[in-house]
Amino acid sequence: MQILLSDLSNSLLFPTSIQYFPSQTRNPLKLNGGNMRIPYAPAEPANPTPENEAIYERIRERRKPRPLIPLDLALLHNPEVADGYNKLVGAIRSKVSVSQALAELAICYIAVLNGATYEWTAHAPLALKAGASRAALEAVLKGEVTDGSVLSEDERLVLAFTEQSTRNIKIDDQLFEKVKAKFNDQEIMELMITVSGYNMVSRFLVGLDVTESNGKEMVMPTE
């Protein structure tokens, strides 16, 4: 079952502290009187060439029926970079064969490891929607990722894989052999690009403090 970011409600990707003003073209997001560490890009192209307008439209198409999200408006300082990001993450989100529940648990664990509250807020509900149990997600939030009474063998393997890649970059041979025994080559590649890609996302979110979520508590989604 493929779960797309378009399945999220606005409230998940637009925390309540954010006011969104789609008619504005400069700094359209305000967070409790402040902004992220650099201003958000305009919600419409500042340099409205056909190429830039096409990029904005492609990103809007992936977000429908929601407007552009804060991450988009952070990236759109360089529309070509935003376009490349949109294509890569769109493929990771919708064109992979690996279990979406496993992928979402990995993304949520990356958020925990890197302190990316906004990433957690967006993806924790997706993990549940994709089929991960609340107990498994809570174990991820608490960092209890070796608990065999809550997590399946596949979940524990993917979370160990995620932790080693996130913390150490390298994945040790013993763990990699266990992963190879459970997943095929394509699935391993997809897990690797998911973990790599969402480490990129979390570092971008935290580095610029997109939505000013740094330091805020990560909480379990409501029922």
Side-chain angles (χ1 to χ4, degrees):
M1 177 181 180
Q2 297 295 334
I3 306 295
L4 306 181
L5 282 175
S6 58
D7 293 321
L8 280 172
S9 68
N10 284 349
S11 62
L12 295 176
L13 287 175
F14 288 81
T16 55
S17 60
I18 299 174
Q19 294 179 327
Y20 183 72
F21 303 101
S23 62
Q24 287 186 228
T25 58
R26 298 300 302 176
N27 299 338
L29 295 172
K30 297 290 184 182
L31 298 99
N32 294 329
N35 294 301
M36 70 165 176
R37 299 177 81 175
I38 61 173
Y40 289 93
E44 300 293 338
N47 179 25
T49 65
E51 293 80 7
N52 285 347
E53 289 177 343
I55 289 170
Y56 270 72
E57 185 56 34
R58 281 194 289 273
I59 297 173
R60 287 195 187 96
E61 185 64 28
R62 191 166 81 87
R63 298 301 185 194
K64 281 183 178 179
R66 296 167 294 110
L68 298 176
I69 66 171
L71 175 55
D72 299 325
L73 296 174
L75 287 162
L76 278 164
H77 282 286
N78 185 323
E80 290 187 355
V81 170
D83 196 30
Y85 171 92
N86 185 56
K87 291 176 182 176
L88 172 62
V89 174
I92 292 172
R93 300 290 301 123
S94 63
K95 304 296 183 183
V96 296
S97 61
V98 73
S99 160
Q100 196 70 21
L102 289 176
E104 290 296 342
L105 284 178
I107 293 167
C108 288
Y109 194 31
I110 291 164
V112 171
L113 291 170
N114 291 340
T117 303
Y118 180 43
E119 189 171 53
W120 169 270
T121 301
H123 285 272
L126 281 178
L128 297 177
K129 192 166 186 177
S133 70
R134 288 191 67 85
L137 186 61
E138 190 165 8
V140 167
L141 179 58
K142 294 178 178 178
E144 298 172 353
V145 295
T146 61
D147 187 349
S149 68
V150 172
L151 298 164
S152 70
E153 181 182 0
D154 285 0
E155 288 170 338
R156 295 196 306 275
L157 276 175
V158 167
L159 292 169
F161 181 94
T162 300
E163 181 168 352
Q164 285 198 10
S165 179
T166 301
R167 290 191 184 279
N168 306 330
I169 310 302
K170 294 181 179 179
I171 299 163
D172 68 50
D173 291 342
Q174 183 179 13
L175 175 59
F176 205 90
E177 288 303 314
K178 290 179 180 178
V179 171
K180 287 175 68 176
K182 296 290 291 185
F183 300 96
N184 63 39
D185 291 346
Q186 180 177 333
E187 290 170 328
I188 293 170
M189 183 283 292
E190 291 168 351
L191 284 171
M192 192 74 261
I193 195 64
T194 298
V195 171
S196 302
Y198 277 91
N199 264 288
M200 173 189 71
V201 174
S202 66
R203 284 164 168 76
F204 186 84
L205 293 172
V206 173
L208 293 182
D209 199 5
V210 177
T211 72
E212 292 190 351
S213 296
N214 288 357
K216 293 183 179 179
E217 183 182 5
M218 297 182 197
V219 297
M220 286 290 293
T222 56
E223 295 286 353

